Amino acid sequence: MTSTGRDANAVLTRDAVTGAFGFTGRHIATRLLADGREVINLTNHPDRSDPFEGRVNAAPLNFRNPEALVTSLEGVDTLYNTYWMRFARRGSPHRQAAQNSSVLFEAAHAAGVRRIVHISIANPDPNSPLPYYRGKAQVEQDLIASGVSCAILRPAVLFGDEPILVNTIAWMLRRLPVFGIPGDGQYGVQPTFVGDLAAMAVAQGARNESLVVDVVGPERFTFDEFVSLIRAAVGSHSLLVHLPPSLTLMAAWSLGILMRDVIMTREEVDGLLGNLLVSRHPALATTRFSDWLTDASPWLGKRYIPELARRLPTLAA
Ligand SMILES: NC(=O)c1ccc[n+]([C@@H]2O[C@H](COP(=O)([O-])OP(=O)(O)OC[C@H]3O[C@@H](n4cnc5c(N)ncnc54)[C@H](OP(=O)(O)O)[C@@H]3O)[C@@H](O)[C@H]2O)c1
């Protein structure tokens, strides 16, 4: 047995990770490589800087060519799926992402993949007014219907070495004299450390039973507390003010134009205000956001981490 409990004599030693050079995917791939597994990266950005120095080969994540996806997945034991679209240049990104995920699951089934470990989100809901949460629920249903053994892991918001949301908040707090909190700030945030999520994903890859579970951290904050904690950690003197959500959205939109990025979408604000970034289940991740924040405070928010720039080639397609 290996450190993650995987049978070292298992026949297939190759796994596939969507976005293995991305945020969650990189942490999963790191653990798999440490476990002696071969990893292939299913991606539309094979030229992104390679953290694994050539140890991970890339194959296209081309949903318009399911046959090629099947070929790429042949000989793969476990598919770790982190694929999702936060936004798109046109059309409905979440519906498109759900349809694409379904193509991926069918390809995995056709290729004989044993197990799919899928990263979803806390509180997906087929009846949600928010297409993001409806789309995530659809993907879960399609995965369960695919007939491939699966584990579905649901974090709410992630932190770690590339924490887009937390870093953007810190970046704003370091630079702006005023920080607008949408609404009353009493809705919750329950962050998950990306390393905890990756560890759980890899452990689940070695198993066979189906599982659907929230993966959230041990600390739960109101958004007011969350922003205040980050403010103190980065030594910001920014004034925190509560504003109507539409005003904060307009401010985020204007800042987004300046930074050539999508800072926050209306749906993300609605999800936040709807208390969807917390779990109703016990915490399974153990790393405390407040401890991590103390360590991260020297670098957090010093540099803006752009999301759109990383996506431009895909979004332009
Ligand atoms: N980050 C969070 O705070 C958070 C919170 C809750 C749930 N989640 C879920 O966790 C999973 C992984 O999130 P992550 O932040 O680690 O993702 P990520 O690394 O930014 O991206 C993961 C994958 O999605 C693809 N992708 C992302 N945006 C795309 C776009 N606009 N068009 C086409 N492909 C796109 C990437 O493709 P390439 O390899 O081609 O780049 C990669 O395969 C997602 O399902 C996400 O919904 C994340």
Side-chain angles (χ1 to χ4, degrees):
M1 289 281 180
T2 63
S3 57
T4 51
R6 192 185 291 272
D7 182 354
N9 298 316
V11 183
L12 294 178
T13 55
R14 185 190 303 159
D15 298 314
V17 180
T18 58
F21 295 174
F23 184 34
T24 311
R26 179 164 38 84
H27 286 268
I28 292 174
T30 301
R31 286 186 168 267
L32 291 171
L33 290 171
D35 232 4
R37 311 282 299 171
E38 179 191 343
V39 177
I40 61 167
N41 178 19
L42 294 177
T43 181
N44 287 308
H45 295 90
D47 301 332
R48 190 169 282 153
S49 101
D50 174 3
F52 303 114
E53 298 169 338
R55 283 188 297 155
V56 172
N57 289 323
L61 186 56
N62 184 353
F63 303 106
R64 292 191 202 133
N65 190 350
E67 291 81 15
L69 271 180
V70 174
T71 306
S72 301
L73 287 165
E74 273 164 2
V76 162
D77 177 74
T78 302
L79 165 65
Y80 294 87
N81 181 38
T82 70
Y83 169 74
W84 185 246
M85 283 198 289
R86 230 188 104 207
F87 44 73
R89 273 231 196 282
R90 54 182 172 268
S92 164
H94 311 317
R95 196 179 323 134
Q96 198 184 324
Q99 285 165 357
N100 289 343
S101 302
S102 177
V103 172
L104 179 65
F105 301 150
E106 281 170 24
H109 184 256
V113 168
R114 179 188 62 85
R115 177 87 159 155
I116 297 177
V117 178
H118 171 68
I119 309 301
S120 184
I121 197 159
N123 302 305
D125 178 359
N127 302 312
S128 171
L130 305 175
Y132 191 111
Y133 288 85
R134 274 206 311 276
K136 284 285 194 184
Q138 182 65 52
V139 175
E140 291 191 1
Q141 283 171 11
D142 290 345
L143 174 54
I144 290 164
S146 74
V148 183
S149 151
C150 64
I152 296 173
L153 309 183
R154 296 168 164 174
V157 60
L158 297 173
F159 63 93
D161 52 358
E162 212 180 286
I164 300 268
L165 174 68
V166 180
N167 191 72
T168 302
I169 292 173
W171 183 86
M172 291 199 267
L173 286 167
R174 280 186 189 272
R175 280 160 189 81
L176 305 179
V178 179
F179 183 98
I181 291 179
D184 66 7
Q186 292 309 299
Y187 38 85
V189 183
Q190 197 168 0
T192 304
F193 181 54
V194 68
D196 291 345
L197 178 64
M200 189 148 172
V202 172
Q204 280 302 319
R207 304 183 74 96
N208 291 310
E209 324 76 72
S210 292
L211 176 86
V212 182
V213 74
D214 284 4
V215 183
V216 289
E219 292 178 310
R220 186 178 176 152
F221 308 97
T222 64
F223 193 65
D224 267 356
E225 290 166 343
F226 190 62
V227 173
S228 300
L229 208 62
I230 300 170
R231 179 177 176 270
V234 301
S236 159
H237 299 290
S238 197
L239 183 69
L240 305 185
V241 291
H242 294 115
L243 296 173
S246 54
L247 247 175
T248 50
L249 202 59
M250 216 185 299
W253 181 75
S254 313
L255 198 60
I257 291 184
L258 210 69
M259 300 308 294
R260 297 170 180 224
D261 202 7
V262 178
I263 306 260
M264 196 153 226
T265 65
R266 172 175 295 279
E267 264 197 76
E268 285 166 349
V269 173
D270 288 347
L272 188 62
L273 268 73
N275 221 21
L276 297 180
L277 268 58
V278 293
S279 167
R280 294 181 304 274
H281 303 285
L284 296 181
T286 52
T287 305
R288 293 164 63 87
F289 176 76
S290 53
D291 292 342
W292 171 85
L293 188 59
T294 306
D295 293 341
S297 58
W299 60 266
L300 194 67
K302 284 222 167 123
R303 181 179 71 85
Y304 185 81
I305 303 178
E307 178 148 21
L308 189 57
R310 296 192 303 168
R311 302 280 161 228
L312 274 176
T314 321
L315 292 172

